[in-house]
């Protein structure tokens, strides 16, 4: 038996993955644009940010594959309200929206540290006229017990990946406040003529470490004004 790496076939496979992930996007502002860095969202819409590298593309594909299985291969549900579009990952039999996330972070980390998860789910919940939604988080490496010299208390032998689902219930007032924030950020995006016109502080501070605009020297970055930065 002879075994050789086939880099040309890797490139072909990545091209197939990239093509499968490309789909027409509704023009205008999307909920996902408003929950993280506004400058980056605007720059992405202008084509300033290059397409994801093969490595990044593979990471994104893991998240989409997990979403596909968690939702039972259900198609996303398109939403529209007040000039803002959204795509809800899943709507269950009771009509409740679900947002599905995949992360390499530890399952021990408090999920509430990820405020943008709840902003996105809350926006979809409000758009659907609901007050209840579900956040499904697939922790790819679980609690990282496989890296621990001593098992943590309560560890399940051999456990790796962990799925958690959180029921989230808001008051109507909370969702109205959340939606006002979404619309405010959406208006900033819609009114800016270019990404440079978007105030730089509209982001979480941690985002700058992963931003192509900062790495390329186009944006100075800096401290963000969003919660839990």
């Amino acid at each position: 038996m002879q075994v050789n790496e086939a880099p040309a076939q890797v490139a072909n496979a990545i091209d197939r993955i990239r093509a499968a992930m490309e789909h027409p996007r509704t023009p205008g502002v999307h909920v996902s644009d408003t929950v993280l860095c506004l400058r980056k969202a605007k720059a992405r819409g202008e084509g300033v940010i290059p397409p994801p590298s093969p490595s990044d593309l593979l990471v994104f594909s893991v998240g989409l594959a997990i979403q596909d299985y968690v939702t039972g291969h259900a198609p996303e549900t398109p939403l529209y309200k007040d000039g803002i579009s959204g795509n809800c990952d899943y709507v269950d039999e009771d009509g409740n929206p679900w947002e599905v996330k995949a992360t390499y972070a530890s399952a021990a980390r408090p999920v509430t540290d990820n405020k943008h998860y709840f902003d996105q789910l809350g926006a979809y919940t409000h758009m659907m006229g609901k007050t209840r939604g579900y956040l499904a988080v697939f922790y790819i490496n679980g609690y990282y017990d496989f890296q621990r010299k001593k098992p943590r208390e309560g560890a399940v032998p051999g456990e790796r990946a962990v799925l958690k689902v959180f029921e989230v219930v808001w008051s109507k007032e909370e969702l109205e406040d959340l939606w006002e924030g979404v619309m405010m950020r959406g208006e900033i995006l819609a009114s800016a003529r270019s990404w440079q016109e978007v105030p730089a502080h509209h982001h979480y501070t941690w985002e700058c470490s992963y931003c192509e605009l900062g790495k390329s020297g186009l944006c100075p970055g800096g401290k963000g004004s969003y919660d839990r930065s």
Side-chain angles (χ1 to χ4, degrees):
M1 180 174 68
Q2 184 177 0
V3 180
N4 300 301
E5 288 197 35
Q9 294 305 327
V10 171
N12 290 338
I14 288 177
D15 285 344
R16 291 194 295 271
I17 293 171
R18 192 183 298 275
M21 292 175 65
E22 291 178 348
H23 52 81
R25 198 167 192 247
T26 306
V29 177
H30 290 244
V31 169
S32 58
D33 295 330
T34 69
V35 297
L36 291 171
C37 178
L38 297 191
R39 271 197 163 191
K40 186 174 182 178
K42 189 72 174 180
R44 186 183 298 112
E46 294 175 0
V48 174
I49 295 177
S53 67
S55 177
D56 289 339
L57 190 73
L58 291 174
V59 172
F60 296 154
S61 69
V62 170
L64 289 175
I66 288 171
Q67 175 185 321
D68 199 30
Y69 280 103
V70 170
T71 63
H73 306 285
E76 295 181 346
T77 299
L79 302 171
Y80 184 83
K81 183 180 176 68
D82 297 330
I84 295 177
S85 300
N87 288 90
C88 181
D89 290 342
Y90 178 61
V91 178
D92 65 23
E93 60 276 7
D94 295 319
N96 297 310
W98 285 54
E99 177 66 17
V100 182
K101 299 294 186 183
T103 178
Y104 289 93
S106 171
R109 179 181 177 183
V111 71
T112 49
D113 283 357
N114 301 290
K115 185 177 180 295
H116 56 293
Y117 288 5
F118 296 92
D119 285 346
Q120 190 168 1
L121 175 61
Y124 297 152
T125 304
H126 180 75
M127 295 171 87
M128 294 178 62
K130 298 284 187 175
T131 57
R132 182 190 315 275
Y134 291 91
L135 173 65
V137 185
F138 192 104
Y139 297 91
I140 296 170
N141 286 320
Y143 291 91
Y144 280 83
D145 288 323
F146 63 95
Q147 289 187 349
R148 299 174 187 268
K149 293 182 178 180
K150 181 180 180 182
R152 68 184 168 85
E153 185 178 352
V156 177
E159 181 182 60
R160 184 66 174 262
V162 170
L163 174 66
K164 295 184 180 183
V165 178
F166 304 90
E167 179 187 51
V168 189
V169 181
W170 293 268
S171 68
K172 289 184 177 180
E173 293 74 20
E174 287 174 323
L175 286 178
E176 287 171 359
D177 288 344
L178 186 154
W179 187 248
E180 283 186 12
V182 169
M183 289 196 298
M184 179 273 290
R185 295 189 291 272
E187 177 58 30
I188 292 173
L189 285 172
S191 61
R193 290 171 295 182
S194 68
W195 68 267
Q196 292 98 329
E197 289 191 357
V198 177
H201 65 272
H202 285 289
H203 67 274
Y204 291 92
T205 300
W206 59 262
E207 291 187 79
C208 292
S209 299
Y210 305 92
C211 183
E212 297 87 343
L213 291 176
K215 292 176 182 177
S216 62
L218 294 174
C219 178
K223 182 174 175 57
S225 60
Y226 292 0
D227 292 342
R228 295 189 180 279
S229 57

